[in-house]
Amino acid sequence: MPAPRTLLLTGAAGGVGTLMRELLPPYGYELRLLDVVPVPGAPDAIVADLADRAALREAVRGVDAIVHLAGISLESTFDKIMAANIAGTYNLYEAAREEGVRRVVLASSNHAVGFTRRPREGEPLVPVDTPHRPDTFYGLSKCFGEDLAQLYWDLHGLETVSVRIGSCFPEPTSVRMLSMWLSPADCARLLHATLTAEDVAHTIVYGSSANTRAWWDLSTARALGFAPEDDSEVYAEKLVADKGHPPEGSADDLYLGGHFCVNPPRWPH
Ligand code: NAI
Ligand code: 15L
């Protein structure tokens, strides 16, 4: 497929969306922005809810690909997760199908497999085909998104790369994040790879930097052309000194999803 140029970026007002609005255009993308709240500094952004099918259909019309970040990004009630992340993602895929968009890059999450044990030294890294083990309704909605993506490939030939993002923030802020961190620059590199790789069908990748303490296997991301350049290890000494290692046997010590498995942060609204 020819390299996509015009992208719909949903969730453009959020943390990752704000970072990507700066970091994707240098790769040559023209961004159309969408969020349920106004996007600061972007008066042309589409303000629409993922529940609004007519608005989504108009928003996807004519774009080469969609980077779907919008939704509830923490734990919430099942009803709210259902509306924003499950029905909302379905609505977006239907709009994409109806308008003939070829590819979606879907923000999945480590929390789709959050109850997976993290590997100990010498054990194999977690592969992408490890079974779904969501740690929250939030993680469950990401499992749904990945399965929806598979269905739309098998049924309609709509391609998706599902990116199980670790922790995409300017810097890691916990010892767990030393394993999960996806630097903003590597996130843009990864999105570019997922948007330009040929014939992705539905591919699942993990999204993190080349962290010394990584728990999961980046090979499917690398196979798409992703070459991460950052490593959280530069933050390790200070973070370990400030916060200490998670207690042995705690959720942060045992599981990929860490504290989400026992005490997940909740969506504020
Ligand atoms: P965020 O919470 O900062 O941004 C999400 C955006 O989606 C917000 O601007 C919000 O207004 C918008 N939104 C929520 N419900 C909506 C609706 N019904 N219709 C339209 N827009 C709606 O989240 P962040 O951190 O930017 O994450 C982006 C995506 O990546 C999310 O899907 C999140 O689940 C996923 N992700 C993020 C990770 C991270 O480390 N930041 C880790 C794993 C996954
Ligand atoms: C996520 O899925 C969340 O959206 C993000 O806010 C972080 O909490 C991240 O996971 C994480 O596990 O650090």
Side-chain angles (χ1 to χ4, degrees):
M1 112 173 181
R5 280 290 158 247
T6 310
L7 303 182
L8 176 69
L9 183 72
T10 75
V16 178
T18 300
L19 293 163
M20 292 307 108
R21 282 166 56 206
E22 294 298 318
L23 293 171
L24 285 176
Y27 286 90
Y29 297 107
E30 191 186 307
L31 303 183
R32 190 182 292 175
L33 309 177
L34 181 144
D35 205 292
V36 72
V37 298
V39 181
D44 293 341
I46 302 160
V47 180
D49 196 296
L50 291 167
D52 184 344
R53 294 182 181 183
L56 292 184
R57 184 130 185 210
E58 205 173 311
V60 305
R61 192 167 297 144
V63 298
D64 299 318
I66 299 169
V67 175
H68 181 39
L69 303 176
I72 292 177
S73 61
L74 299 170
E75 181 60 320
S76 188
T77 63
F78 183 75
D79 287 348
K80 285 184 184 169
I81 295 269
M82 173 79 181
N85 292 15
I86 296 181
T89 302
Y90 161 76
N91 289 339
L92 186 71
Y93 269 78
E94 268 300 280
R97 181 189 66 76
E98 285 167 341
E99 292 297 329
V101 178
R102 294 278 306 277
R103 186 173 296 183
V104 178
V105 178
L106 181 68
S108 183
S109 170
N110 69 86
H111 300 292
V113 291
F115 262 115
T116 307
R117 291 263 176 167
R118 62 105 156 161
R120 301 285 162 183
E121 213 173 314
E123 291 178 349
L125 297 173
V126 177
V128 291
D129 61 0
T130 196
H132 279 161
R133 294 191 75 168
D135 52 27
T136 42
F137 291 137
Y138 164 64
L140 183 65
S141 74
K142 297 300 184 179
C143 298
F144 171 84
E146 292 182 6
D147 281 351
L148 183 78
Q150 186 65 50
L151 177 67
Y152 272 64
W153 166 250
D154 288 330
L155 211 52
H156 304 301
L158 172 52
E159 295 182 317
T160 296
V161 180
S162 293
V163 183
R164 288 182 188 154
I165 302 172
S167 304
C168 183
F169 297 96
E171 287 184 11
T173 55
S174 68
V175 171
R176 172 177 168 270
M177 278 195 200
L178 294 173
S179 302
M180 309 301 280
W181 188 52
L182 175 64
S183 74
D186 278 341
C187 183
R189 286 183 192 104
L190 177 55
L191 292 180
H192 182 55
T194 61
L195 288 162
T196 51
E198 295 286 338
D199 301 329
V200 297
H202 174 226
T203 301
I204 300 174
V205 303
Y206 288 122
S208 66
S209 289
N211 301 324
T212 302
R213 301 175 193 224
W215 290 335
W216 56 25
D217 178 4
L218 285 181
S219 60
T220 57
R222 290 184 188 276
L224 299 184
F226 175 48
E229 293 184 14
D230 295 319
D231 182 343
S232 62
E233 204 56 23
V234 294
Y235 301 98
E237 195 179 326
K238 184 166 187 321
L239 271 175
V240 172
D242 287 353
K243 314 224 172 202
H245 283 289
E248 214 179 309
S250 67
D252 268 350
D253 173 53
L254 291 178
Y255 302 117
L256 289 191
H259 54 289
F260 275 62
C261 295
V262 289
N263 187 21
R266 296 194 69 89
W267 184 248
H269 323 300

